[in-house]
Amino acid sequence: MANLKIKLATIDDVKNFVSITTTFNCEVDVVSNRYVVDAKSIMGLFSLDLTKPLTLKINSSDEAVKKQIMERLNQFAAD
């Protein structure tokens, strides 16, 4: 499992994020405190508090896939 702290500041960020995550065939989750939602679900993401940093969890045993996801989603990395 790989983790990345992310920030989705705008509606367009959420749309672009979901657009990218849906291209991968592994499970990708977003965690906010005790809530875990599917990173491919736009409705799930909008149910979270997007004013705070979130944690992206990539559930894949394939290191190449994890690296590719991290590179594609690096634009959303929290400072």
Side-chain angles (χ1 to χ4, degrees):
M1 183 180 307
N3 295 332
L4 175 68
K5 289 286 186 185
I6 60 168
K7 181 78 172 161
L8 301 173
T10 67
I11 293 171
D12 284 336
D13 283 351
V14 174
K15 286 195 252 183
N16 292 335
F17 179 84
V18 170
S19 177
I20 293 168
T21 58
T22 57
T23 64
F24 295 99
N25 287 332
C26 64
E27 288 186 29
V28 185
D29 296 320
V30 174
V31 179
S32 175
N33 293 324
R34 61 187 176 129
Y35 300 103
V36 179
V37 299
D38 184 349
K40 300 175 184 180
S41 168
I42 197 163
M43 293 302 289
L45 290 172
F46 279 125
S47 72
L48 300 176
D49 181 359
L50 299 178
T51 63
K52 298 179 180 169
L54 307 165
T55 302
L56 174 73
K57 293 193 178 265
I58 304 164
N59 302 309
S60 175
S61 58
D62 187 337
E63 293 298 322
V65 169
K66 286 193 269 191
K67 183 179 179 189
Q68 187 178 19
I69 293 171
M70 297 285 263
E71 288 172 357
R72 295 271 320 269
L73 297 177
N74 193 47
Q75 63 186 311
F76 303 106
D79 297 331

